[in-house]
Amino acid sequence: MSSDKLRIVLMGTGPFAVPSFEAIRAAGHDIPVVITRPMPPVKSRGGPPPAPVRDWATEHGLPIEAPESINDSEAVERLSEFAADLMVVCDYGQILRPPALASSKWGGINLHGSLLPAYRGAAPVQRALLSGDEETGVSVIHMTPRLDGGPILATRRTPISSTETAGELEERLSQIGVDATLEAITLLQRELINHDGEQPLPALGSVQDASKVSKAARLSKAEAEIDWSKSSRHIDCLVRGMQPWPVAFTFAETKPGKPPIRLAIRKVTPVVDAAVGPNQIGCLLATETKGEMAIGCGDGRVIVERLQPAGKNEMDAAEFIRGHRLEAGFRFGKN
Protein backbone atom coordinates (compact mmCIF):
# COMPACT_ATOMS: atom_id res chain seq x y z
CA MET A 1 0.00 0.00 0.00
CA SER A 2 1.41 3.41 -0.99
CA SER A 3 2.15 6.08 1.63
CA ASP A 4 -0.85 8.18 0.58
CA LYS A 5 -3.28 5.34 1.29
CA LEU A 6 -4.65 4.67 4.74
CA ARG A 7 -5.95 1.63 6.56
CA ILE A 8 -9.55 2.61 7.32
CA VAL A 9 -12.27 0.78 9.23
CA LEU A 10 -15.69 1.77 7.90
CA MET A 11 -18.62 1.83 10.29
CA GLY A 12 -22.18 2.42 9.07
CA THR A 13 -25.61 0.91 8.50
CA GLY A 14 -27.96 3.16 6.54
CA PRO A 15 -27.94 4.65 3.04
CA PHE A 16 -26.40 7.99 4.03
CA ALA A 17 -23.01 6.31 4.43
CA VAL A 18 -22.80 4.49 1.10
CA PRO A 19 -21.62 7.28 -1.27
CA SER A 20 -18.75 8.29 1.03
CA PHE A 21 -17.78 4.69 1.72
CA GLU A 22 -17.69 4.01 -2.02
CA ALA A 23 -15.47 7.06 -2.56
CA ILE A 24 -13.04 5.79 0.08
CA ARG A 25 -12.96 2.37 -1.56
CA ALA A 26 -12.52 3.88 -5.04
CA ALA A 27 -9.61 6.01 -3.75
CA GLY A 28 -7.71 2.80 -3.00
CA HIS A 29 -7.60 2.97 0.78
CA ASP A 30 -7.18 -0.36 2.57
CA ILE A 31 -10.49 -1.41 4.17
CA PRO A 32 -9.86 -4.35 6.53
CA VAL A 33 -13.49 -4.52 7.68
CA VAL A 34 -16.90 -2.90 7.42
CA ILE A 35 -18.69 -2.71 10.77
CA THR A 36 -22.49 -2.53 10.62
CA ARG A 37 -25.45 -3.11 12.90
CA PRO A 38 -26.77 -6.68 13.32
CA MET A 39 -29.73 -7.61 11.16
CA PRO A 40 -32.96 -7.41 13.21
CA PRO A 41 -35.36 -10.36 13.29
CA VAL A 42 -37.73 -10.59 10.34
CA LYS A 43 -41.21 -9.71 11.62
CA SER A 44 -43.23 -9.60 8.41
CA ARG A 45 -43.71 -11.28 5.07
CA GLY A 46 -41.87 -8.39 3.46
CA GLY A 47 -38.54 -9.96 4.37
CA PRO A 48 -35.61 -8.34 6.17
CA PRO A 49 -35.38 -4.55 6.34
CA PRO A 50 -33.00 -2.73 3.98
CA ALA A 51 -29.32 -2.92 4.90
CA PRO A 52 -27.59 -0.54 2.45
CA VAL A 53 -24.08 -0.65 3.92
CA ARG A 54 -24.15 -4.43 4.34
CA ASP A 55 -25.35 -4.83 0.75
CA TRP A 56 -22.64 -2.47 -0.54
CA ALA A 57 -19.89 -4.28 1.36
CA THR A 58 -21.12 -7.65 0.10
CA GLU A 59 -21.17 -6.38 -3.48
CA HIS A 60 -17.50 -5.41 -3.22
CA GLY A 61 -16.36 -8.48 -1.31
CA LEU A 62 -15.40 -6.57 1.83
CA PRO A 63 -15.33 -8.34 5.21
CA ILE A 64 -18.35 -7.56 7.38
CA GLU A 65 -18.71 -7.73 11.16
CA ALA A 66 -21.80 -6.81 13.19
CA PRO A 67 -21.23 -6.74 16.96
CA GLU A 68 -24.26 -6.26 19.18
CA SER A 69 -22.44 -3.41 20.92
CA ILE A 70 -19.37 -1.73 19.48
CA ASN A 71 -18.35 -0.76 23.03
CA ASP A 72 -18.19 -4.28 24.48
CA SER A 73 -14.68 -5.28 25.51
CA GLU A 74 -14.61 -8.05 22.90
CA ALA A 75 -15.68 -5.66 20.13
CA VAL A 76 -13.08 -3.08 21.17
CA GLU A 77 -10.37 -5.74 21.25
CA ARG A 78 -11.42 -6.87 17.81
CA LEU A 79 -11.27 -3.29 16.51
CA SER A 80 -7.74 -2.96 17.86
CA GLU A 81 -6.69 -6.08 15.95
CA PHE A 82 -7.35 -4.29 12.65
CA ALA A 83 -4.59 -1.77 13.47
CA ALA A 84 -6.37 0.94 11.50
CA ASP A 85 -5.11 4.44 10.92
CA LEU A 86 -8.64 5.78 11.08
CA MET A 87 -12.29 4.88 11.50
CA VAL A 88 -14.89 6.56 9.29
CA VAL A 89 -18.33 6.44 10.90
CA CYS A 90 -21.60 7.43 9.24
CA ASP A 91 -25.25 6.50 9.79
CA TYR A 92 -24.17 3.71 12.13
CA GLY A 93 -26.58 3.84 15.05
CA GLN A 94 -24.32 3.53 18.11
CA ILE A 95 -22.23 6.08 20.02
CA LEU A 96 -18.57 5.10 20.31
CA ARG A 97 -17.05 5.38 23.80
CA PRO A 98 -13.38 6.31 24.40
CA PRO A 99 -11.94 2.75 24.26
CA ALA A 100 -13.59 2.15 20.86
CA LEU A 101 -12.38 5.52 19.55
CA ALA A 102 -8.86 4.75 20.78
CA SER A 103 -8.74 1.49 18.85
CA SER A 104 -7.41 3.23 15.72
CA LYS A 105 -4.30 5.39 15.42
CA TRP A 106 -6.12 8.65 14.64
CA GLY A 107 -9.50 7.89 16.21
CA GLY A 108 -12.59 8.36 14.08
CA ILE A 109 -14.37 10.88 11.91
CA ASN A 110 -18.11 11.13 11.46
CA LEU A 111 -20.16 12.50 8.55
CA HIS A 112 -23.28 14.20 9.94
CA GLY A 113 -26.26 15.54 8.00
CA SER A 114 -26.37 19.09 9.36
CA LEU A 115 -24.32 22.23 9.78
CA LEU A 116 -23.11 21.47 13.28
CA PRO A 117 -23.59 22.46 16.02
CA ALA A 118 -27.18 22.65 14.74
CA TYR A 119 -29.25 19.46 14.92
CA ARG A 120 -27.05 17.10 16.87
CA GLY A 121 -28.75 13.73 17.07
CA ALA A 122 -30.59 11.07 15.11
CA ALA A 123 -32.79 13.09 12.72
CA PRO A 124 -30.90 16.19 11.54
CA VAL A 125 -32.25 16.23 7.98
CA GLN A 126 -35.85 15.83 9.05
CA ARG A 127 -35.58 18.42 11.82
CA ALA A 128 -34.14 21.01 9.44
CA LEU A 129 -37.17 20.59 7.19
CA LEU A 130 -39.66 20.56 10.05
CA SER A 131 -38.15 23.82 11.30
CA GLY A 132 -38.63 25.46 7.91
CA ASP A 133 -34.90 26.08 7.40
CA GLU A 134 -33.86 27.42 4.02
CA GLU A 135 -30.29 26.08 4.20
CA THR A 136 -28.57 22.99 5.56
CA GLY A 137 -25.48 20.95 4.80
CA VAL A 138 -23.10 18.33 6.11
CA SER A 139 -20.30 18.37 8.67
CA VAL A 140 -17.39 16.00 9.21
CA ILE A 141 -16.12 15.96 12.79
CA HIS A 142 -13.15 14.40 14.54
CA MET A 143 -15.08 12.22 16.94
CA THR A 144 -15.27 12.57 20.71
CA PRO A 145 -17.45 10.63 23.17
CA ARG A 146 -19.94 13.54 23.20
CA LEU A 147 -22.70 12.98 20.63
CA ASP A 148 -21.82 14.92 17.46
CA GLY A 149 -19.70 17.25 19.60
CA GLY A 150 -16.21 16.91 18.12
CA PRO A 151 -14.26 19.62 16.27
CA ILE A 152 -15.40 20.25 12.71
CA LEU A 153 -12.93 19.24 9.99
CA ALA A 154 -15.01 19.99 6.89
CA THR A 155 -18.44 21.33 5.91
CA ARG A 156 -20.57 21.77 2.81
CA ARG A 157 -23.64 24.02 2.59
CA THR A 158 -26.69 23.80 0.34
CA PRO A 159 -30.09 25.52 0.04
CA ILE A 160 -33.19 23.47 0.78
CA SER A 161 -35.69 23.33 -2.08
CA SER A 162 -39.25 24.39 -1.25
CA THR A 163 -40.54 21.07 -2.64
CA GLU A 164 -37.90 18.70 -1.25
CA THR A 165 -38.86 15.84 1.08
CA ALA A 166 -36.59 14.62 3.85
CA GLY A 167 -35.82 11.49 1.85
CA GLU A 168 -34.84 13.49 -1.22
CA LEU A 169 -32.75 15.93 0.80
CA GLU A 170 -30.98 13.13 2.67
CA GLU A 171 -30.06 11.46 -0.61
CA ARG A 172 -28.67 14.74 -1.93
CA LEU A 173 -26.73 15.42 1.26
CA SER A 174 -25.20 11.93 1.13
CA GLN A 175 -23.69 12.87 -2.24
CA ILE A 176 -22.57 16.30 -1.01
CA GLY A 177 -20.91 14.57 1.93
CA VAL A 178 -18.46 12.70 -0.28
CA ASP A 179 -16.17 15.67 -0.90
CA ALA A 180 -16.37 16.74 2.74
CA THR A 181 -15.37 13.27 3.91
CA LEU A 182 -12.44 13.04 1.53
CA GLU A 183 -11.34 16.57 2.53
CA ALA A 184 -11.33 15.56 6.20
CA ILE A 185 -9.29 12.44 5.48
CA THR A 186 -6.77 14.49 3.51
CA LEU A 187 -6.48 16.99 6.39
CA LEU A 188 -5.75 14.20 8.85
CA GLN A 189 -3.19 12.67 6.51
CA ARG A 190 -1.40 15.99 6.12
CA GLU A 191 -1.38 16.86 9.82
CA LEU A 192 -0.97 13.47 11.45
CA ILE A 193 1.08 11.35 9.06
CA ASN A 194 4.24 11.97 11.12
CA HIS A 195 2.58 11.77 14.51
CA ASP A 196 4.59 9.37 16.65
CA GLY A 197 1.68 8.02 18.65
CA GLU A 198 3.45 8.73 21.90
CA GLN A 199 1.75 12.08 22.48
CA PRO A 200 -1.97 12.95 22.36
CA LEU A 201 -3.28 13.87 18.93
CA PRO A 202 -3.04 17.60 18.21
CA ALA A 203 -6.29 19.57 18.13
CA LEU A 204 -7.54 19.85 14.57
CA GLY A 205 -10.58 21.55 13.08
CA SER A 206 -12.93 24.17 14.51
CA VAL A 207 -14.39 23.82 18.00
CA GLN A 208 -18.20 23.89 17.94
CA ASP A 209 -19.94 26.93 19.43
CA ALA A 210 -21.80 25.55 22.44
CA SER A 211 -24.24 28.47 22.40
CA LYS A 212 -25.57 27.38 19.00
CA VAL A 213 -26.21 23.72 19.80
CA SER A 214 -29.65 22.34 18.92
CA LYS A 215 -30.98 18.81 19.15
CA ALA A 216 -32.46 16.53 16.49
CA ALA A 217 -34.41 13.88 18.37
CA ARG A 218 -35.75 10.80 16.63
CA LEU A 219 -39.10 11.23 14.93
CA SER A 220 -42.23 9.73 16.44
CA LYS A 221 -45.45 8.68 14.75
CA ALA A 222 -47.49 10.87 17.08
CA GLU A 223 -45.84 14.12 15.98
CA ALA A 224 -46.68 13.34 12.33
CA GLU A 225 -50.39 14.05 12.89
CA ILE A 226 -51.40 17.26 11.15
CA ASP A 227 -52.72 20.11 13.29
CA TRP A 228 -54.84 22.09 10.85
CA SER A 229 -54.71 25.17 13.08
CA LYS A 230 -51.04 25.61 12.15
CA SER A 231 -49.89 27.75 9.22
CA SER A 232 -49.91 26.44 5.66
CA ARG A 233 -46.11 26.59 5.58
CA HIS A 234 -45.85 24.65 8.85
CA ILE A 235 -48.10 21.91 7.46
CA ASP A 236 -46.15 21.80 4.18
CA CYS A 237 -42.88 21.44 6.12
CA LEU A 238 -44.44 18.68 8.22
CA VAL A 239 -45.58 16.76 5.14
CA ARG A 240 -42.16 17.01 3.49
CA GLY A 241 -40.17 16.46 6.68
CA MET A 242 -42.03 13.29 7.63
CA GLN A 243 -41.24 11.48 4.39
CA PRO A 244 -40.38 8.69 3.89
CA TRP A 245 -41.16 7.95 7.58
CA PRO A 246 -43.39 8.21 9.55
CA VAL A 247 -45.47 10.23 7.00
CA ALA A 248 -47.81 13.06 7.99
CA PHE A 249 -51.41 11.99 8.51
CA THR A 250 -54.93 13.09 9.35
CA PHE A 251 -58.29 11.39 9.79
CA ALA A 252 -61.49 11.44 7.75
CA GLU A 253 -64.80 10.21 9.19
CA THR A 254 -66.40 9.44 5.83
CA LYS A 255 -69.26 7.30 7.17
CA PRO A 256 -71.24 8.23 10.28
CA GLY A 257 -70.89 5.63 12.99
CA LYS A 258 -67.85 4.04 11.34
CA PRO A 259 -64.24 4.44 12.54
CA PRO A 260 -62.46 7.34 10.81
CA ILE A 261 -60.08 6.56 7.94
CA ARG A 262 -56.44 7.38 8.55
CA LEU A 263 -55.05 9.32 5.59
CA ALA A 264 -51.32 9.57 4.92
CA ILE A 265 -50.73 12.96 3.32
CA ARG A 266 -47.97 12.73 0.71
CA LYS A 267 -47.95 16.09 -1.08
CA VAL A 268 -49.50 19.48 -0.45
CA THR A 269 -49.36 23.04 -1.77
CA PRO A 270 -49.56 25.79 0.88
CA VAL A 271 -51.64 28.90 0.18
CA VAL A 272 -51.83 31.94 2.46
CA ASP A 273 -55.42 33.23 2.22
CA ALA A 274 -56.89 35.75 4.63
CA ALA A 275 -60.40 34.97 3.37
CA VAL A 276 -60.42 31.63 5.21
CA GLY A 277 -62.13 32.05 8.58
CA PRO A 278 -61.32 30.32 11.89
CA ASN A 279 -64.47 28.21 11.69
CA GLN A 280 -63.13 26.68 8.45
CA ILE A 281 -59.92 25.29 9.96
CA GLY A 282 -59.67 21.58 9.15
CA CYS A 283 -62.64 21.79 6.77
CA LEU A 284 -62.89 21.04 3.07
CA LEU A 285 -63.28 24.37 1.30
CA ALA A 286 -65.34 25.21 -1.75
CA THR A 287 -63.07 26.14 -4.67
CA GLU A 288 -63.45 26.98 -8.32
CA THR A 289 -61.41 23.92 -9.28
CA LYS A 290 -63.59 20.84 -9.42
CA GLY A 291 -62.46 18.04 -7.12
CA GLU A 292 -59.74 20.13 -5.47
CA MET A 293 -58.98 19.11 -1.89
CA ALA A 294 -58.38 22.45 -0.20
CA ILE A 295 -58.41 22.31 3.60
CA GLY A 296 -58.59 25.39 5.81
CA CYS A 297 -55.65 26.01 8.15
CA GLY A 298 -54.27 28.66 10.47
CA ASP A 299 -53.35 31.25 7.86
CA GLY A 300 -55.24 30.11 4.77
CA ARG A 301 -55.48 26.73 3.12
CA VAL A 302 -53.50 23.68 2.16
CA ILE A 303 -54.24 22.02 -1.16
CA VAL A 304 -53.70 18.29 -0.77
CA GLU A 305 -52.31 16.83 -4.00
CA ARG A 306 -51.53 13.21 -3.06
CA LEU A 307 -52.70 10.99 -0.21
CA GLN A 308 -52.94 7.35 0.81
CA PRO A 309 -55.86 5.90 2.79
CA ALA A 310 -54.85 3.19 5.24
CA GLY A 311 -54.65 -0.18 3.51
CA LYS A 312 -54.93 1.29 0.02
CA ASN A 313 -52.64 2.61 -2.71
CA GLU A 314 -51.50 6.21 -2.97
CA MET A 315 -53.85 8.32 -5.09
CA ASP A 316 -54.65 11.83 -6.25
CA ALA A 317 -56.63 13.70 -3.61
CA ALA A 318 -59.30 14.49 -6.20
CA GLU A 319 -59.90 10.76 -6.62
CA PHE A 320 -60.47 10.38 -2.89
CA ILE A 321 -62.90 13.32 -2.86
CA ARG A 322 -64.91 11.85 -5.76
CA GLY A 323 -64.90 8.35 -4.34
CA HIS A 324 -66.36 9.46 -1.01
CA ARG A 325 -68.54 12.27 -2.41
CA LEU A 326 -67.18 14.76 0.07
CA GLU A 327 -68.58 18.28 0.02
CA ALA A 328 -67.47 21.66 1.31
CA GLY A 329 -67.59 21.78 5.09
CA PHE A 330 -66.43 18.20 5.61
CA ARG A 331 -64.06 18.23 8.58
CA PHE A 332 -60.70 16.42 8.70
CA GLY A 333 -58.87 15.40 11.83
CA LYS A 334 -60.21 14.09 15.12
CA ASN A 335 -63.69 15.50 15.55
Side-chain angles (χ1 to χ4, degrees):
M1 186 173 63
S2 63
S3 60
D4 64 332
K5 304 303 179 186
L6 300 179
R7 187 169 172 84
I8 300 177
V9 167
L10 301 180
M11 198 173 295
T13 303
F16 197 72
V18 172
S20 289
F21 285 6
E22 172 57 22
I24 291 168
R25 186 198 69 83
H29 293 293
D30 179 23
I31 303 172
V33 69
V34 176
I35 306 291
T36 191
R37 295 294 301 275
M39 291 293 289
V42 178
K43 297 181 179 180
S44 69
R45 297 178 182 178
V53 167
R54 181 184 292 271
D55 293 344
W56 169 81
T58 300
E59 177 185 352
H60 294 289
L62 297 170
I64 300 170
E65 295 193 11
E68 289 290 336
S69 171
I70 197 62
N71 297 300
D72 287 347
S73 57
E74 290 183 5
V76 172
E77 182 178 353
R78 180 65 175 146
L79 281 175
S80 299
E81 292 174 0
F82 294 116
D85 295 306
L86 180 68
M87 291 182 292
V88 176
V89 183
C90 180
D91 203 358
Y92 176 50
Q94 293 187 27
I95 299 172
L96 276 66
R97 296 175 185 159
L101 289 172
S103 66
S104 68
K105 185 178 178 181
W106 299 341
I109 63 173
N110 174 248
L111 171 64
H112 186 74
S114 79
L115 295 171
L116 291 170
Y119 302 118
R120 291 182 182 177
V125 179
Q126 295 89 338
R127 294 297 174 188
L129 272 173
L130 293 174
S131 297
D133 292 0
E134 295 182 352
E135 183 184 53
T136 188
V138 297
S139 306
V140 181
I141 61 171
H142 207 175
M143 296 174 69
T144 67
R146 177 176 291 181
L147 176 64
D148 301 327
I152 300 170
L153 303 175
T155 61
R156 294 291 186 277
R157 311 178 82 93
T158 185
I160 299 175
S161 164
S162 62
T163 61
E164 212 163 15
T165 67
E168 292 166 343
L169 178 57
E170 187 169 36
E171 165 63 23
R172 193 160 62 82
L173 288 175
S174 74
Q175 299 294 334
I176 291 172
V178 170
D179 283 346
T181 300
L182 295 179
E183 178 185 322
I185 292 172
T186 299
L187 172 64
L188 294 178
Q189 283 180 288
R190 184 178 68 242
E191 300 295 332
L192 301 179
I193 195 68
N194 295 318
H195 185 260
D196 59 14
E198 297 292 330
Q199 301 297 323
L201 293 175
L204 299 174
S206 302
V207 176
Q208 296 186 39
D209 185 343
S211 69
K212 296 181 179 179
V213 171
S214 59
K215 302 294 186 180
R218 292 185 187 279
L219 302 180
S220 69
K221 291 182 179 180
E223 64 183 313
E225 183 173 1
I226 296 172
D227 179 351
W228 296 106
S229 70
K230 299 293 186 179
S231 70
S232 56
R233 174 165 167 74
H234 174 95
I235 294 169
D236 176 47
C237 290
L238 182 76
V239 170
R240 292 185 292 114
M242 289 293 177
Q243 291 191 66
W245 189 92
V247 185
F249 67 93
T250 191
F251 292 97
E253 191 174 324
T254 57
K255 295 180 180 180
K258 298 289 185 180
I261 300 172
R262 180 183 170 116
L263 301 177
I265 306 299
R266 299 285 185 177
K267 184 180 180 182
V268 302
T269 299
V271 180
V272 177
D273 186 354
V276 176
N279 62 330
Q280 294 176 301
I281 289 175
C283 292
L284 184 65
L285 304 175
T287 67
E288 295 180 359
T289 304
K290 186 177 181 180
E292 185 175 68
M293 188 172 176
I295 302 175
C297 64
D299 67 347
R301 53 199 162 111
V302 170
I303 299 172
V304 179
E305 311 281 357
R306 301 282 295 173
L307 57 76
Q308 183 174 9
K312 297 187 180 296
N313 294 328
E314 184 176 333
M315 63 180 69
D316 288 334
E319 181 181 349
F320 180 81
I321 294 290
R322 290 194 302 270
H324 292 275
R325 299 181 180 179
L326 302 184
E327 298 180 352
F330 179 87
R331 184 171 296 276
F332 292 89
K334 293 180 177 177
N335 297 327

